[in-house]
Amino acid sequence: MTGVRVAGVGLTHFGSHPERTGRDLFAEASERAFADAGVDRTDVAQLNYGNFMGELSEHQGHQGPLMAEAAGLTAPATRYESACASSGVAVREAVKDVRNGEADVVLVGGAERMNNLGTTGTTEALAIAADDLYEVRAGMTFPAAYALMARAYFEQYGGSKEDLAEIAVKNHDNALENEFAQFQKSISVEQALDAPTIADPLGLYDACPITDGASAAVLVSDEYADEHDLDAPVAITGTGQGGDKMALQDRRYLARTPAAEYAAAEAYDDAGVGPQDVSVAEVHDCFTIAEVLAIEALDFYAPGEGIGAAARGETTRDGDRPVNLSGGLKAKGHPVGATGGSQIVEMTRLLRGDHPNSDAVPGDIGVTHNAGGTVASTTVHVLEVDE
Amino acid sequence: MSDQTGEDERVRDEGYDDLLDAIESGEGYYLECPEGHGSLPPRRVCPHCGATDLEEVALPETGDIETYTEVHVPAPSFADDAPYVTAVADFGGVRLTGQLRGSEAEEIEVGTAVAVGVGESATTDERVLVFRPA
């Protein structure tokens, strides 16, 4: 089995670009990835592409071949849809195909266009990642679903809105120097606490924004990297995926995410590392409480102990294990189908030293955690510097 | 199918609509497998163990609120309903998600006993699972 290297990565600016099509966004991200990789497009065996709401936002299904065209490829292309974990799943399948010898070079990534739908349209589109019969028809939105999890967490383990606000403040601070981030603006705990309520106990600053954007990465086998003398020091050494019941009401836990626990355990085992070896993480903080659930699922903290990590300075940029140095979904933005791929992009840059926050990375092993729905789908990847 | 006004009527969802009918007439139920796992219709196999012999079991008259939220930014189909409270309540064999009505937000606590019924969305007139303090 061959190893898998990240030869090149690319992002668009994450933000509000309502007049830009998905194909234009992905063309830009993939162009950057190829320029970074120094890989010939004709060597690409396949495109693994993540997208969630293309039918609703762009009246566009069958986006695989369309995005291959946008990237200048003639290779076969497949769209992966797993809600907000769409491109995380695309990455995982790419890793498997490179490892098993099916492909030496895979372009992987994703794109989402959301702002053209407006806030209500986006709220409605995102809701289709929940159970239509038993959740959406009871008025559940995604902020409401995470609010239900936040309340359940507070009841079971304790914690406060202030603890959540500290996470938002941290992630905004991390995004200040990230040119691709939607919000390069710091906020205070007081601002976060004074923001309008979306679904209590979550307010506006507990939620990620509505974002347009694309991500792309060129993954290659060790042999291809050697043969072509590529400068590709970062390898994806572990991959894991977990699933859970679709509806929150049908889960064993309301304040834990077993799908992510499973994905993390599988990815650690695959890479031959443990949570204690990980020095930096990019996690799926679609809402502030989601970051808490993520760092507990990754086994950095026992259940109930992750809530104060940001307030205690343990996950901040000068902490022992910084989380979301990119700004996370909260400040970097969350173009749903692009997010899992963007975490690979950001982690690669953080580990190889060309990210504005690379100086805050205390080691050479990182993990990415990408969750779909209310964590009914999750992928976790381990990335390591391997010169 | 369209009615005279040209508005689409929602197609009946067998299983789900059957359950709402039953709850409306005070005969709510859920499905139970031989291992005692509960689930909601429509269902051909137990989602927990794959057993295929599922039986209808009476839904307990009251459940306990396990978690809740007051929603201020609604989906479009509940635009005129906001703010409203969505809750998950534990009925023993199953949990249900519904809108809590007949209670002020500040009066709600985790553990509050509720009965389940069927109401309507003020926005669309569609049926909604509703909880009321028991």
Side-chain angles (χ1 to χ4, degrees), chain A residues 167 171 206-208 283-288 290-291 294 324 327-331 343 369:
Chain A
I167 296 167
N171 291 348
D206 289 300
C208 65
V283 308
H284 197 97
D285 60 325
C286 49
F287 297 92
T288 47
E291 179 165 312
N324 284 330
L329 284 55
K330 173 71 194 85
Q343 294 175 323
H369 158 284

Side-chain angles (χ1 to χ4, degrees), chain A residues 7-8 30-31 33-46 71-75 104-107 217-220 224-225 227-230:
Chain A
S30 59
E31 189 173 3
F34 280 115
D36 185 35
V39 166
D40 193 330
R41 282 176 170 79
T42 57
D43 285 348
V44 174
Q46 67 196 50
L73 305 177
T74 53
D104 267 327
V105 183
V106 178
L107 178 65
V218 179
L219 305 187
V220 301
Y224 184 93
E227 283 168 20
H228 293 79
D229 201 22
L230 298 182

Side-chain angles (χ1 to χ4, degrees), chain A residues 111-134:
Chain A
E112 207 73 61
R113 184 182 187 190
M114 299 169 71
N115 274 284
N116 59 320
L117 289 175
T119 302
T120 31
T122 303
T123 303
E124 187 171 38
L126 289 171
I128 67 170
D131 183 329
D132 179 60
L133 295 182
Y134 286 104

Side-chain angles (χ1 to χ4, degrees), chain A residues 134 137 139 148 198 200 249, chain B residues 10 41 67 69-70 72 84 97:
Chain A
Y134 286 104
R137 291 188 195 183
L148 293 171
I198 296 182
D200 73 320
Q249 66 185 22
Chain B
R10 184 166 67 73
T67 185
T69 178
E70 188 173 59
H72 292 258
Y84 55 86
T97 305

Side-chain angles (χ1 to χ4, degrees), chain B residues 39-93:
Chain B
S39 61
L40 295 168
R43 194 77 67 184
R44 288 168 189 262
V45 300
C46 173
H48 303 283
C49 68
T52 53
D53 42 348
L54 304 181
E55 276 187 39
E56 290 186 8
V57 175
L59 194 66
E61 290 194 1
T62 62
D64 295 332
I65 289 184
E66 231 178 312
T67 185
Y68 64 93
T69 178
E70 188 173 59
V71 180
H72 292 258
V73 180
S77 54
F78 288 94
D80 298 338
D81 295 72
Y84 55 86
V85 175
T86 290
V88 175
D90 185 355
F91 284 79

